[in-house]
Amino acid sequence: MYGGRGMSRGFMSEEEKKNSPKVTGALIKRIFGYLSPYKKQLALTVLCIGISSLCSMYPSVLTGRIIDEGLIGRSIPMLVKLILLSLGLTLGGNLIGVAESYLNAWIAQHITYDMRNQMFRHLERMSQRFFLTEKQGDLITRMTGDISGVESVITGTFTGLITNVSTLIIAIVAMFRKNALLALIGIAIVPLFTLPTRLAGKRRWSLTREAQKCDDEINGILNETLSVSGQLLVKLFGREEYEYERYKTANGNRTRLNIKERMAGRWFFVVLHTFTSIGPMLLYLVGGILMMKEGATLTVGDITVLVALLGRMYGPVNNLMNMQVEWIRAMAMFTRIFEYLDRKPDIENAPDARKTAGNSGEVRFEHVDFSYTEGRPILRDVTFDLKKGRSIAIVGPSGAGKSTVVNLIPRLWDVDAGRVLFEGEDVRKLDLNSLRQAIGVVTQETYLFNGTIRDNLLYAAPDATEEEMISACKRAHIWEMISARPEGLDTLVGNRGLKLSGGEKQRISIARVLLKDPALLIFDEATSALDSISESLIQEAIDPLIQERTSILIAHRLSTILAADEILVMEEGRIAERGTHEELVGRGGTYTRLYETQFRDPHAQKGE
Ligand code: ATP
């Protein structure tokens, strides 16, 4: 079978040609940077390749002696000795080949291991913005496809290059040592051999592409005319003849292309065989003339060796020519990987970042402006102050910017203007790890890992004891449910916690935050409807927490709002009103409206 994928190895698609990377010294240096920890192993691999190439080539040279000294010299001991030597070398070469494969795989695996770790570490440091804008599929492709590609570059392209080059060098040196003139003739023939290979390859490649287009057309016609609705259309409009003609033409084109494709392959072999036999014939001819001249030192064995060596050169030359494409592909792959590694995380520790104490959890917003995308401001001039042990409820219509406000505190995003202060220091000057350690967030969409409840709790505090976990679960009002399960804390939560109800998940995440014991608690109340029992359990869990620590609540229910010391009412990214429930409810503003439509009696609205 010719064409298609097999041939694509040697030729690049138009798209690949267009996107060919710029190979610069810096790029090569960077790639070699990954190889440098394994210099010794690499040197050993190159040595192994050299020795095994030598071992596999030398029997060809020995053939000459077998003929001259063994056969023509009529010496059985010599014949046996040379044959055994030849067999021994072949075996030795193959054994070294095994060692080389092992080394090769070892190096390739270690380099991909290093690269994967580096990439993972780098991606972990990227900001929320990166993950929201980047296509998920691209990330996975970089991590799996591209980096695995590196492995085949090392085991294939890199060792292929060394093997082919060393085989060629050995063959050329051996040929020159036998006879310089014949060696030159032999080498001059090689390009003649590779030329038709490439021409035939190109022709087949373009035929394959043409055939592909033709197939698409045929499939289109079949789809249009032989589908349920298509055939109806054809019948109702009486277009049978027209469609038949259309199909017949496309089918005819495909048939012609099929024949051409087969024949391109056929010509290829004719040309190939002719060229491969021209070389040896020429060597026999010139070698024969030289040998028969008086005083010549050239022997029958020498000519046989030269012909054999020439035969050994075709493969490596052809491989090396194909390698150019593999090389460009490899460079493109490295370029893609490096582009990712060079993406600077837009939220990073400042060089002189200092750790925050994480004891008061105080927050201060000073004239904060923020937008996710340029030109579309989300927060405008937001200013508020949250003192130690106090709590603020943020309320407002959907999309007002409530979650955005809290996202700025653990620096999931950075402000455009103004400042966010945590415990008296601009968050951009704080060590990210210590900042995030001091903040506990119970998100609206609770994220649980696929594992047991215990795994999920320990994620927050890996050193927590059984007692601490049970106590946190009790305070989060989830212990009753956990202890009722036969597996207790070892109950599996399912993918993303889907085996639990929304209310249970949120209470587990409250327990998780309790174990973390943060200075500031952020509670993004679920907007989704929970039944009133779940709701009151969450309320009972959260109420004492709010009392005992600094907290910000994004509130959707009156009970949560009432538990806070101050209410911020947000509207279109601004703080529209602030105060206590009593102060705000009678004012007739946004809060009053929200109170009347949302907070007052949510269950009545749901028709309960
Ligand atoms: P809800 O009560 O529905 O959760 P909210 O008040 O918390 O709403 P935010 O999530 O802060 O609102 O969103 C404020 C605005 O910012 C919305 O208009 C939203 O579409 C937009 N927004 C949120 N996240 C992003 C993002 N990553 N990129 C661009 N725009 C965003």
Side-chain angles (χ1 to χ4, degrees), residues 132 372-373 376 378 397-404 413 444 527 556:
L132 285 173
Y372 288 105
T373 41
R376 199 180 152 235
I378 299 291
S398 179
K402 305 180 292 291
S403 308
T404 308
W413 305 83
Q444 211 179 82
T527 37
H556 298 285

Side-chain angles (χ1 to χ4, degrees), residues 185-186 189-190 273-285 307 310 314:
I185 292 174
I189 295 281
V190 172
H273 283 145
T274 315
F275 274 102
T276 21
S277 43
I278 284 179
M281 291 312 143
L282 217 74
L283 289 190
Y284 282 131
L285 181 68
V307 170
L310 184 66
Y314 295 140

